[in-house]
């Protein structure tokens, strides 16, 4: 069965996480993604956080599966000639270099559009035009400057980073949407276009409910938050749900660091949960019966529930809560997640051997995804150059000159 993006060729000039996470999804969906890397070195993550000596790290292999690797010196005249041919045959070019790097190589947008009017040129940058435009961004910097850190953690603690890579991979997913939109628009206009996504704006988009609450503060305290006091900015609210229905993580037996279950307290569920935890009388008590009555004592509500969950494992608590239709879920550790075959896939790497990684989260009935190993450095250089019309002799000369 032909994949959704079969026939789409992507030049992947990305590195580290934000760009590779985006192009990996395109590759999973069937695009021919050619990762262009510096000869002899490649993507810096090949050697970062290595667990095995002289083997590509998990950091690299888990972000670059289903791609081909071409090494190319983009600073050399011969390398630029190869790149021009690549651009002429590409549908999409993706890069996440620092501001101005691609322009300094001589490949600004106007030049690329001239070489290939149908090209979609997609970039990830830390920040858009304005006061932060020239700054470099990393994952947690994006979290700090996009609204996530100031609203994550507990009121009496410092701003806290989230373990989810919303700055890098979150931006990469946003870029996938932009690229696919540009490719679709090209079917109507016949033209490519420039596509930008910034890490700060991607994080802010994921934090929009906090901007909602910032505006609500003008009309009074945020009743669904567990905080005792409010100033002029949205506070850190611990494990509060952040939505219209109260929620919290409550402790379970035997009391380990991840022995918690998170539950949402819907109005229709109060009578059921009151009975389950052994306090059926609270279902009809005017002091507890309505959501408004409970809102001022959410800490006491969850203390009562926790007194019940503390005597049960998170799995037992989940089963019993689900049995009465209470939305809940156990806090799963990374070990529990990686041991779940429904959530991860195993891949055979030619040097590393067998390892586990995430599968494609996008499920298309007519475009199933098989995750294959990330390429070795320059593994497909000869193959890609041959597709551009270079002979075996030409490739040997380019290798001798250090161009590939």
């Amino acid at each position: 069965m032909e994949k959704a993006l079969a026939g789409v060729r992507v030049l992947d000039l990305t590195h580290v996480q934000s760009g590779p996470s985006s192009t990996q999804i395109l590759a999973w969906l069937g695009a021919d993604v050619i990762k262009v890397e510096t000869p002899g070195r490649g993507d810096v993550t090949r050697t970062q956080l290595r667990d095995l000596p002289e083997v590509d790290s998990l950091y690299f292999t888990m972000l670059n599966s289903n791609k081909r690797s071409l090494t190319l010196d983009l600073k050399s005249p011969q390398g630029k000639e190869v790149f021009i041919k690549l651009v002429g045959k590409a549908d999409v070019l993706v890069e996440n270099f620092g501001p101005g790097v691609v322009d300094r190589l001589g490949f600004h947008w106007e030049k690329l559009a001239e070489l290939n009017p149908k090209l979609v040129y997609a970039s990830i940058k830390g920040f858009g035009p304005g006061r932060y435009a020239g700054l470099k961004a990393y994952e947690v910097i994006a979290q700090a400057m996009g609204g996530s850190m100031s609203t994550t953690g507990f009121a009496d603690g410092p701003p806290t980073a989230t373990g989810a890579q919303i700055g890098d991979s979150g931006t990469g997913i946003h870029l996938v949407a932009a690229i696919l939109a540009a490719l679709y628009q090209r079917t109507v206009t016949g033209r490519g276009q420039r596509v930008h996504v910034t890490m700060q704006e991607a994080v802010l988009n994921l934090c929009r409910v906090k901007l909602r609450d910032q505006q609500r503060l003008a009309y009074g305290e945020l009743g669904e938050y567990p905080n005792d006091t409010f100033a002029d900015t949205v506070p850190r609210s611990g494990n509060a749900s952040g939505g219209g229905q109260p929620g919290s993580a409550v402790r379970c037996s035997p009391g380990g660091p991840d022995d918690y279950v998170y539950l949402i307290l819907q109005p229709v569920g109060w009578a059921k949960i009151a009975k389950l935890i052994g306090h059926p009388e609270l279902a009809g008590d005017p002091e507890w019966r309505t959501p408004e009555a409970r809102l001022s004592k959410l800490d006491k509500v969850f203390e009562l529930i926790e007194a019940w969950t503390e005597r049960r494992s998170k799995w037992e608590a989940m089963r019993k809560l689900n049995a009465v239709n209470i939305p809940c879920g156990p806090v799963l550790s990374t070990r529990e997640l990686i041991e779940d075959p429904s959530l991860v896939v195993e891949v055979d790497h030619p040097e590393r051997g067998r390892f586990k990684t995430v599968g494609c989260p996008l499920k298309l009935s007519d475009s199933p995804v098989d995750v294959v190993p990330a390429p070795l450095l320059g593994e497909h250089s000869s193959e890609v150059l041959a597709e551009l019309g270079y002979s075996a002799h030409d490739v040997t000369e380019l290798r001798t000159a250090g161009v590939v």
Side-chain angles (χ1 to χ4, degrees), residues 118-275:
K118 293 188 174 183
L119 184 72
V120 173
Y121 176 19
S123 297
I124 288 176
K125 295 291 177 277
F127 309 95
R131 61 194 297 191
Y132 311 124
L135 302 182
K136 291 183 178 180
Y138 284 79
E139 168 65 46
V140 183
I141 292 175
Q143 290 189 32
M145 298 182 69
S148 176
M149 284 189 72
S150 68
T151 56
T152 302
F154 289 84
D156 57 355
T160 305
T162 174
Q165 303 291 282
I166 62 174
D168 279 326
S169 289
T171 305
I173 294 169
H174 280 78
L175 189 69
V176 170
I179 290 169
L180 295 180
L183 286 173
Y184 180 78
Q185 189 171 18
R186 192 180 70 175
T187 65
V188 178
T189 65
R191 301 190 309 274
Q193 61 184 293
R194 192 76 168 89
V195 173
H196 285 98
V197 176
T198 75
M199 295 171 70
Q200 184 183 36
E201 290 174 295
V203 171
L204 183 59
N205 184 46
L206 297 173
C207 293
R208 71 177 69 182
V209 296
K210 299 303 181 181
L211 289 189
R212 173 203 68 190
D213 293 346
Q214 178 63 41
Q215 295 171 90
R216 290 173 59 221
L217 274 174
Y219 302 96
E221 296 184 350
L222 306 174
E224 77 281 9
Y225 279 59
N227 305 68
D228 295 325
T229 59
F230 292 85
D232 61 353
T233 188
V234 175
R236 292 185 280 283
S237 56
N239 287 320
S241 71
Q245 310 296 337
S248 187
V250 289
R251 285 189 295 268
C252 296
S253 175
D258 298 309
D259 287 320
Y260 287 81
V261 67
Y262 195 95
L263 62 91
I264 298 292
L265 188 57
Q266 298 173 310
V268 295
W270 174 243
K272 296 175 182 178
I273 201 167
K275 180 180 179 181

Side-chain angles (χ1 to χ4, degrees), residues 29-365:
L29 295 178
D32 176 18
V33 177
I34 301 172
K35 188 173 180 71
V36 181
E37 302 184 75
T38 304
R41 186 173 75 238
D43 190 320
V44 66
T45 60
R46 284 185 182 272
T47 59
Q48 282 186 341
L49 305 177
R50 270 180 169 162
D51 54 327
L52 297 173
E54 306 305 318
V55 174
D56 288 336
S57 71
L58 287 167
Y59 195 4
F60 177 84
T61 58
M62 293 177 72
L63 284 162
N64 291 282
S65 59
N66 294 60
K67 303 178 185 180
R68 297 196 288 170
S69 173
L70 163 71
T71 52
L72 188 64
D73 180 4
L74 290 173
K75 295 180 180 179
S76 70
Q78 291 169 292
K80 291 180 189 294
E81 289 178 12
V82 173
F83 186 67
I84 287 170
K85 291 184 178 182
L86 284 167
V87 169
K89 292 181 175 290
D91 296 286
V92 182
L93 187 154
V94 188
E95 60 89 14
N96 65 330
F97 291 115
V101 171
V102 178
D103 288 358
R104 290 193 295 272
L105 289 170
F107 295 105
H108 49 78
W109 165 233
E110 292 75 16
K111 172 68 173 178
L112 291 167
E114 180 183 325
L115 291 170
N116 183 352
K118 293 188 174 183
L119 184 72
V120 173
Y121 176 19
S123 297
I124 288 176
K125 295 291 177 277
F127 309 95
R131 61 194 297 191
Y132 311 124
L135 302 182
K136 291 183 178 180
Y138 284 79
E139 168 65 46
V140 183
I141 292 175
Q143 290 189 32
M145 298 182 69
S148 176
M149 284 189 72
S150 68
T151 56
T152 302
F154 289 84
D156 57 355
T160 305
T162 174
Q165 303 291 282
I166 62 174
D168 279 326
S169 289
T171 305
I173 294 169
H174 280 78
L175 189 69
V176 170
I179 290 169
L180 295 180
L183 286 173
Y184 180 78
Q185 189 171 18
R186 192 180 70 175
T187 65
V188 178
T189 65
R191 301 190 309 274
Q193 61 184 293
R194 192 76 168 89
V195 173
H196 285 98
V197 176
T198 75
M199 295 171 70
Q200 184 183 36
E201 290 174 295
V203 171
L204 183 59
N205 184 46
L206 297 173
C207 293
R208 71 177 69 182
V209 296
K210 299 303 181 181
L211 289 189
R212 173 203 68 190
D213 293 346
Q214 178 63 41
Q215 295 171 90
R216 290 173 59 221
L217 274 174
Y219 302 96
E221 296 184 350
L222 306 174
E224 77 281 9
Y225 279 59
N227 305 68
D228 295 325
T229 59
F230 292 85
D232 61 353
T233 188
V234 175
R236 292 185 280 283
S237 56
N239 287 320
S241 71
Q245 310 296 337
S248 187
V250 289
R251 285 189 295 268
C252 296
S253 175
D258 298 309
D259 287 320
Y260 287 81
V261 67
Y262 195 95
L263 62 91
I264 298 292
L265 188 57
Q266 298 173 310
V268 295
W270 174 243
K272 296 175 182 178
I273 201 167
K275 180 180 179 181
L276 181 67
I277 65 176
H279 292 281
E281 73 281 1
L282 297 181
D285 188 330
E287 294 293 317
W288 296 82
R289 184 177 62 227
T290 66
E292 293 74 22
R294 294 191 297 274
L295 201 57
S296 62
K297 55 172 80 67
L298 285 178
D299 54 343
K300 294 184 176 66
V301 170
F302 287 112
E303 282 175 10
L304 285 172
I305 296 171
E306 190 170 71
W308 178 83
T309 59
E310 280 183 318
R311 303 193 303 273
R312 293 158 177 85
S313 74
K314 61 186 180 184
W315 301 107
E316 181 187 359
M318 178 190 72
R319 287 193 298 272
K320 290 182 178 295
L321 288 164
N322 271 299
V324 293
N325 205 28
I326 304 299
C328 68
V331 172
L332 299 180
S333 68
T334 51
R335 180 173 181 176
E336 288 169 317
L337 289 166
I338 206 167
E339 291 177 351
D340 188 335
S342 70
L343 295 173
V344 298
V345 296
E346 291 195 67
V347 179
D348 286 313
H349 188 273
E351 294 181 346
R352 164 175 293 282
R354 202 161 181 80
F355 72 97
K356 294 180 179 181
T357 187
V358 295
C360 182
L362 310 181
K363 311 297 185 185
L364 282 68
S365 62

